Amino acid sequence: MISGVYVPLLTPFDHQGQVDTGAYEAFAQWLVSRGVDGLVPFGSTGEGPSLSMRERLAVLAGLAGAVPGTSLIPAVTESSLDAVLEFVGAVNDLPATAIMVLPPYYFRPLAADDLRRFMEPVLAASRHPVLLYHIPVFGPPVPVEAITALAGPSLWGVKDSSGDIEYTKAVLAAGANVMVGSEARLPEAVGLGAAGGICGLANLLPEHLVAVYAAAKAGDQDQAAAILAPALAFLQQLIDACPGSPVAWIPVAKQLAGQRSGVDLGGVRPPVPPAPSGAAAALAPALKAVLSELAQA
């Protein structure tokens, strides 16, 4: 069952710029120890498009053993149908809960029927349920009519990273499941019937997102909002400290998450920009204050 708080994992790199599988597994174990419900490797937060197929499969080979029993939803962000099918075939033999597929992003705009034709062989090939990855800032939108056309046992639903609650409502009304990517929308979306969230901030504040989900699931929107408010304020500070790109916050998040977890997550790969000098040190007190507020709640 897919529900609760999933983490789109940051990808650790060693000092030679290679994926550090040991750090990856250690960081995953730390997140699971903080109560998250599942992990999503290779999404946008994890620099998934910067990783080769070989690297992704090497990570997955060890991850299931490092966090046994934890729900895993690896993402594939290829525009080639053949590459997506290659990934699906490899993941079919692994204990994944589902896979998450970004629509092909090069040939844009992408009509609903063209997305249907791309996804039908993927759904037919996968032994795991499939989530469509709706993230308009990076990829083609996933039209609700495409979701309706692809409806069936293989399509679990959508990861909605649009931040648009009206889109979430439309997908739910179409009978599909939703995991939201926007931390700010998590309480309302869960209240509407969404299964939970796949939220990048959970790399840094897993306890907050778990508590927000629990309150929203219990129907206490006020409590969920009270817990979420300081986390959102910190997220805005993080974004403001890293201007210029929607992924510019990732290297600073790696530094701060490394300090919290005790796992060195390294730097980033081009074209993701390096961390602004001093940003992590400047944000560390704010992160500590947010954690203190939750502990006192």
Side-chain angles (χ1 to χ4, degrees), residues 147-275:
I147 299 166
T148 302
L150 291 165
S154 295
L155 182 66
W156 182 87
V158 176
K159 183 201 172 181
D160 175 16
S161 290
S162 68
D164 180 1
I165 199 67
E166 295 304 319
Y167 178 84
T168 300
K169 291 177 182 178
V171 174
L172 291 170
N177 299 298
V178 177
M179 292 286 277
V180 293
S182 168
E183 292 84 1
R185 296 300 187 190
L186 181 60
E188 184 179 4
V190 170
L192 291 168
I198 303 172
C199 301
L201 189 58
N203 283 282
L204 285 167
L205 296 171
E207 306 92 338
H208 278 74
L209 275 296
V210 168
V212 168
Y213 171 79
K217 190 67 175 175
D220 193 340
Q221 288 286 325
D222 290 341
Q223 176 70 359
I227 298 168
L228 185 57
L232 290 180
F234 172 78
L235 177 60
Q236 191 59 56
Q237 287 180 276
L238 175 60
I239 292 169
D240 290 345
C242 306
S245 165
V247 294
W249 60 274
I250 290 176
V252 178
K254 283 187 175 184
Q255 293 175 4
L256 294 170
Q259 293 169 15
R260 280 215 66 199
S261 64
V263 179
D264 183 0
L265 302 182
V268 290
R269 279 184 176 171
V272 177

Side-chain angles (χ1 to χ4, degrees), residues 9-269:
L9 281 162
L10 294 162
T11 298
F13 296 112
D14 64 23
H15 296 292
Q16 285 74 47
Q18 301 302 305
V19 177
D20 188 335
T21 54
Y24 204 114
E25 292 169 12
F27 185 56
Q29 290 170 335
W30 178 78
L31 288 167
V32 170
S33 77
R34 314 312 285 185
V36 303
D37 298 287
L39 306 172
V40 180
F42 322 131
S44 305
T45 303
E47 302 170 73
S50 296
L51 273 63
S52 69
M53 186 76 68
R54 172 187 55 81
E55 289 173 321
R56 281 177 276 173
L57 294 179
V59 166
L60 289 174
L63 188 57
V67 286
T70 299
S71 182
L72 301 176
I73 305 179
V76 57
T77 54
E78 306 285 348
S79 274
S80 160
L81 178 57
D82 186 64
V84 175
L85 291 173
E86 179 185 354
F87 185 81
V88 167
V91 175
N92 274 342
D93 296 323
L94 298 173
T97 301
I99 60 169
M100 188 169 75
V101 181
L102 181 75
Y105 52 81
Y106 186 81
F107 299 106
R108 302 175 72 174
L110 185 66
D113 191 60
D114 295 330
L115 177 58
R116 176 193 60 77
R117 293 189 299 110
F118 184 90
M119 286 302 305
E120 281 181 340
V122 176
L123 292 168
S126 181
R127 296 177 196 161
H128 304 300
V130 174
L131 285 73
L132 290 170
Y133 190 7
H134 177 70
I135 182 166
V137 69
F138 292 131
V142 177
V144 176
E145 54 265 38
I147 299 166
T148 302
L150 291 165
S154 295
L155 182 66
W156 182 87
V158 176
K159 183 201 172 181
D160 175 16
S161 290
S162 68
D164 180 1
I165 199 67
E166 295 304 319
Y167 178 84
T168 300
K169 291 177 182 178
V171 174
L172 291 170
N177 299 298
V178 177
M179 292 286 277
V180 293
S182 168
E183 292 84 1
R185 296 300 187 190
L186 181 60
E188 184 179 4
V190 170
L192 291 168
I198 303 172
C199 301
L201 189 58
N203 283 282
L204 285 167
L205 296 171
E207 306 92 338
H208 278 74
L209 275 296
V210 168
V212 168
Y213 171 79
K217 190 67 175 175
D220 193 340
Q221 288 286 325
D222 290 341
Q223 176 70 359
I227 298 168
L228 185 57
L232 290 180
F234 172 78
L235 177 60
Q236 191 59 56
Q237 287 180 276
L238 175 60
I239 292 169
D240 290 345
C242 306
S245 165
V247 294
W249 60 274
I250 290 176
V252 178
K254 283 187 175 184
Q255 293 175 4
L256 294 170
Q259 293 169 15
R260 280 215 66 199
S261 64
V263 179
D264 183 0
L265 302 182
V268 290
R269 279 184 176 171

